[in-house]
Amino acid sequence: MGEIKKARPNPPGFSPSGPPAVALMKKTTSSCNHSLDEWRRRIHSADAGQADYWVPPPPPPAPKKTSHDDDNPHDDDDDGDNDDNDHSSLTWLPRPGEQLVKLLGHWRILQRVGSHRWTTDDLVTAYVAVTQCVTSPPPQVEEGAADGVPRLGSGGCTGNSSSSSSSCCCTPVRYLDLGCGNGSVLQMVSWAILKQRQELQQQQQQEQQQQQPQQHSQQPSERSLSGVGVEARAEAVALARRSLAFNLGNSTSCPVQVRHADFRQFVQDNERQYDLITGTPPYFRVDFTTTTTTTTTSKNESSPQSASSTIGTDDNEQPPPPPPPTIVVQHAVIRQGGMPTAIQSAPARCEFRGGIEAYCHAAAQCLEPTVGRFVVCNSYIHHARSQRAAVEAGMEIIHTLLVEGCRGRGLLFVVYVMRLKPRDDDEEEAPETTTTESQLTVREVTGEWTPEYVEQVFGRMSIPGPV
């Protein structure tokens, strides 16, 4: 059976913030669909830390109607919406072997038991993306800013006037998560962007009401976020989409979508530029031994279709190009770490589809050139490699956060903030880049979270700290 996990206790004075989960705020349209209200009640109870709840497997799908059934004028078309036990509208309910766990704020995420789950590096990457690339109040060039560049949060707007503030609030942030997996970073950053825009809207409405108390301000009609996650593994795509259905709804108007594709092919086929890109590449390097095979066609071999197509053609016409060679992997050796026991965890930890170089190259192809930011994490043992990858992709690192897992035990991973290197014909007059560096420790030697981690990361991301 699936399981809805209870949230850990909230410390005194803590209250979840940010956008609510859509699944918990939609009103039941039918008096017969009382199962939806019951599951909402149980999730509210789990959010309060009262109990875990087991979810029985969904019933088997109803048999399809035959043509004879369709001819019956007295047979109503029942799509299952009025079935008390129907789970078709509750795609976010955990299935056998899955858990619906707390993520941040009011949001939850689906994860498989004993498989890949969201981790500290996911949370810290999202936190850096929020603090470095999402602003509140509206974005502007801060005097004395550490890197001397405007913060993102407006889709490229950097004005500080009231009119530009209003447009910033309405302009959607174009956000892309490379290799989104189960959607943890994708949803964390999306939650933060929506929360920041919500706060800006409320602030602007208050200012407008003070200036013109007789007029009622209206909510902007434009969406404040246009987010896309790209993932190559079908099972992870399905899990991420179902989590989004719980948090943001599963309609086509949802501000965040998940695409099933290899992100390297996605950026080649996509001409859109993004204001913010995130990525959490796998850490374990894999060396491949491959062979290349080519397919050749004999002159005497031809299909009936190809033979008929040559009738009446010019003798000088060039034959079609040969098919591309096929690369076959003979051996794959993991150079760091070992093969995870969970099938879903292996591609998330091992560089089967490329490492930091592939992520940097893909981000450089679709990053907005002026204020666009790429936030990516990697293991500290690959620090020099990550720096080379940025240079080779035509980007420059403007900030690094060195993360220590446990105090005194060395650095664990690094989160980088990159931008496209300014293209200037005269390199001597190109602006000099200032790279800033900070450090964060997650836990004390005794195992407790450090005060700075609780205050900075948990506090910003609406996650309850220790009681």
Side-chain angles (χ1 to χ4, degrees), residues 179-435:
C180 67
N182 294 353
S184 54
V185 176
L186 173 68
Q187 294 182 88
M188 290 177 186
V189 175
S190 299
W191 172 91
I193 294 175
L194 293 173
K195 176 178 181 291
Q196 180 250 3
R197 290 308 183 87
Q198 191 178 59
E199 293 172 349
L200 288 180
Q201 290 177 2
Q202 294 174 354
Q203 177 184 350
Q204 291 168 8
Q205 289 177 357
Q206 293 176 358
E207 294 176 353
Q208 292 174 3
Q209 290 177 356
Q210 291 176 359
Q211 296 174 1
Q212 299 175 342
Q214 300 298 329
Q215 298 183 5
H216 299 281
S217 59
Q218 298 180 352
Q219 290 282 356
S221 59
E222 295 87 352
R223 296 188 310 186
S224 58
L225 170 65
S226 177
V228 179
V230 183
E231 174 56 45
R233 295 176 292 125
E235 70 279 2
V237 170
L239 214 57
R241 287 174 176 172
R242 290 168 55 212
S243 295
L244 283 171
F246 177 85
N247 296 318
L248 289 172
N250 54 7
S251 65
T252 55
S253 61
C254 177
V256 183
Q257 303 289 333
V258 178
R259 300 284 185 262
H260 183 200
D262 188 310
F263 66 74
R264 293 168 294 186
Q265 187 64 41
F266 175 84
V267 298
Q268 290 181 6
D269 300 337
N270 182 34
E271 297 181 355
R272 189 178 190 185
Q273 292 181 334
Y274 294 90
D275 307 310
L276 174 62
I277 303 178
T278 55
T280 52
Y283 291 166
F284 300 159
R285 184 169 62 89
V286 179
D287 291 342
F288 295 96
T289 301
T290 63
T291 58
T292 303
T293 60
T294 57
T295 302
T296 58
T297 303
S298 173
K299 294 182 179 179
N300 297 327
E301 293 180 358
S302 61
S303 63
Q305 181 179 2
S306 62
S308 62
S309 63
T310 60
I311 298 177
T313 58
D314 190 351
D315 293 339
N316 297 327
E317 183 178 352
Q318 296 294 328
T326 302
I327 299 177
V328 180
V329 177
Q330 301 291 339
H331 302 283
V333 180
I334 302 176
R335 293 303 181 186
Q336 289 116 2
M339 175 67 75
T341 56
I343 296 177
Q344 193 184 29
S345 299
R349 298 179 184 176
C350 304
E351 299 178 3
F352 294 132
R353 288 189 174 90
I356 183 66
E357 295 84 1
Y359 280 73
C360 288
H361 181 70
Q365 295 183 66
C366 56
L367 189 64
E368 200 283 326
T370 307
V371 296
R373 298 291 179 266
F374 176 44
V375 181
V376 61
C377 76
N378 206 357
S379 171
Y380 180 69
I381 63 176
H382 297 314
H383 186 38
R385 176 185 169 188
S386 301
Q387 293 173 319
R388 291 194 302 270
V391 174
E392 293 171 357
M395 293 195 289
E396 55 188 11
I397 300 173
I398 60 177
H399 181 76
T400 58
L401 175 64
L402 308 173
V403 182
E404 185 182 37
C406 183
R407 194 177 301 279
R409 296 187 181 178
L411 297 175
L412 185 60
F413 62 91
V414 186
V415 181
Y416 306 89
V417 180
M418 305 180 187
R419 68 179 178 187
L420 288 176
K421 188 175 182 180
R423 287 172 169 76
D424 197 315
D425 296 336
D426 188 356
E427 296 184 358
E428 295 181 357
E429 296 182 1
E432 183 178 356
T433 301
T434 302
T435 302

